[in-house]
């Protein structure tokens, strides 16, 4: 039996209210393969309470300066946050000073 947190029953409008994120930003995170809503036959996105927590976590990481690519990679590799932050800062410094590897 699955938990209520796993059931995809929340619409994008309610998700926006719960997370404080715009619907556009939520769709962007979906495009970037960070969140995976279910779709109804009519195409309506449906999210779970786990997705609410996930989106808040993504938004916090973005606010800390992470990029969507880094967040996705961190999830894939489960890198320690410290190591990922160091890589992100190194990448930002390289971009700021136009350093190419």
């Amino acid at each position: 039996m699955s938990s209520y947190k796993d059931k995809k029953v929340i619409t994008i409008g309610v998700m926006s209210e719960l997370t404080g994120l715009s619907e556009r930003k939520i769709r962007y995170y979906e495009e970037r393969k960070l969140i995976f809503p279910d779709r109804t036959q009519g195409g309506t996105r449906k999210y779970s309470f786990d997705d609410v927590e996930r989106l808040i976590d993504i938004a916090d990481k973005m606010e800390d300066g992470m990029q969507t690519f880094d967040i996705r990679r961190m999830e894939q590799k489960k890198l320690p946050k410290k190591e990922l932050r160091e890589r992100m800062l190194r990448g930002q410094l390289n971009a700021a000073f136009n350093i190419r590897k």
Side-chain angles (χ1 to χ4, degrees), residues 12 21-31 35 55 59 62:
I12 195 167
L21 298 170
S22 68
E23 291 181 19
R24 183 176 179 185
K25 188 156 285 204
I26 294 168
R27 286 187 200 100
Y28 173 74
Y29 293 150
E30 179 185 355
E31 289 170 14
I35 192 91
L55 277 173
M62 294 290 291

Side-chain angles (χ1 to χ4, degrees), residues 28-49:
Y28 173 74
Y29 293 150
E30 179 185 355
E31 289 170 14
R32 301 298 296 166
K33 309 272 189 259
L34 295 174
I35 192 91
F36 303 94
D38 284 350
R39 296 283 185 132
T40 65
Q41 285 185 338
T44 303
R45 291 169 174 86
K46 294 289 188 167
Y47 300 89
S48 68
F49 286 100

Side-chain angles (χ1 to χ4, degrees), residues 31-82:
E31 289 170 14
R32 301 298 296 166
K33 309 272 189 259
L34 295 174
I35 192 91
F36 303 94
D38 284 350
R39 296 283 185 132
T40 65
Q41 285 185 338
T44 303
R45 291 169 174 86
K46 294 289 188 167
Y47 300 89
S48 68
F49 286 100
D50 279 336
D51 292 332
V52 172
E53 292 174 2
R54 174 96 179 106
L55 277 173
I56 291 170
D57 184 53
I58 290 167
D60 287 345
K61 288 175 180 171
M62 294 290 291
E63 211 171 275
D64 287 344
M66 292 179 145
Q67 302 295 315
T68 57
F69 175 81
D70 295 321
I71 295 168
R72 189 173 55 251
R73 187 175 58 193
M74 184 173 77
E75 286 299 313
Q76 290 170 346
K77 293 184 178 182
K78 296 294 182 190
L79 290 173
K81 191 172 182 178
K82 181 181 177 187

